[in-house]
Amino acid sequence: MRTAEIKRKTKETDIILALNIDGGEVFVDTGIGFFDHMLNSFAVHGGFGLKVKVIGDLNVDDHHTVEDTGIALGQAFFKSLGDKSSIERFGSFYVPMDEALAFASVDISGRPFMVFDADFPQEKCGDYTSAMTVEFMRAFAYNAGITLHIKSLYGYNSHHITEAIYKAVAHALKIAVKDNGSGAVLSTKGVL
């Protein structure tokens, strides 16, 4: 089974996270309502089982909670995919969300990199700072060991732009982690 559990405790956050790439129960509690909504959408649209409980220093702001959750989720993805044999490796997807349109493309390459191109007209979505979207995605990509490209093509509502991004990334990953039945690693090098 492609599963992983991560426990991460720092002076700023205490995170318990369980991921099942192939599906399962979804439970998210980070203390930030909008972020919970985004992670729930990410899990549902990716077809992932995800349980996340975070206690963070929200008295400071949302930065540590969001970024550290991205680190833990990235570590869980990396661990759950093992040697990355039999996966499709690449995935790309567009998601429209009302007036917004987002695109994500992923390569589960073992080479962490991210390109992020999105503007957020409103600074906040509830208690979630819009600028935290890039921080979450960067932390996730680098800890998962993936190349991730994200682009918001247009939109004027930060809620819609953010949600379209999370869903586009989830769908791109869903394609990339699909088991192709080959038993082989999709690389001319023979390893990822």
Side-chain angles (χ1 to χ4, degrees):
M1 273 189 75
R2 300 186 300 173
T3 62
E5 291 187 16
I6 301 294
K7 292 182 181 179
R8 176 182 166 84
K9 186 174 175 115
T10 71
K11 292 180 180 178
E12 299 166 340
T13 58
D14 188 353
I15 300 172
I16 299 172
L17 185 148
L19 174 69
N20 185 335
I21 294 288
D22 300 307
E25 182 184 348
V26 177
F27 170 81
V28 180
D29 181 10
T30 67
I32 306 166
F34 184 79
F35 188 42
D36 291 354
H37 177 43
M38 292 303 96
L39 291 175
N40 186 69
S41 293
F42 176 87
V44 169
H45 285 267
F48 309 129
L50 179 63
K51 295 179 186 176
V52 184
K53 174 64 177 168
V54 183
I55 299 170
D57 57 355
L58 296 179
N59 58 306
V60 176
D61 66 11
D62 56 342
H63 191 286
H64 301 139
T65 296
V66 175
E67 183 177 41
D68 288 9
T69 302
I71 290 169
L73 184 58
Q75 290 172 344
F77 258 86
F78 182 84
K79 185 176 176 184
S80 68
L81 290 175
D83 69 358
K84 302 174 189 69
S85 60
S86 292
I87 63 168
E88 290 292 341
R89 180 177 164 182
F90 299 97
S92 297
F93 209 84
Y94 284 93
V95 168
M97 182 82 182
D98 295 348
E99 87 298 340
L101 181 65
F103 172 76
S105 189
V106 65
D107 176 9
I108 301 176
S109 61
R111 296 184 311 277
F113 197 84
M114 189 180 79
V115 175
F116 188 94
D117 183 5
D119 294 315
F120 301 95
Q122 294 83 38
E123 181 184 345
K124 301 277 268 184
C125 297
D127 291 330
Y128 176 93
T129 307
S130 298
M132 288 312 303
T133 304
V134 66
E135 300 299 331
F136 172 83
M137 294 298 174
R138 183 184 300 113
F140 171 73
Y142 277 76
N143 284 275
I146 65 174
T147 296
L148 178 61
H149 289 242
I150 296 169
K151 182 169 181 63
S152 169
L153 285 81
Y154 43 79
Y156 55 77
N157 181 309
S158 291
H159 182 133
H160 297 156
I161 294 166
T162 305
E163 190 164 348
I165 287 171
Y166 274 85
K167 288 178 178 176
V169 171
H171 278 278
L173 285 166
K174 182 179 185 178
I175 294 165
V177 301
K178 185 177 177 188
D179 188 334
N180 63 24
S182 71
V185 173
L186 185 56
S187 171
T188 55
K189 298 179 183 77
V191 295
L192 288 173

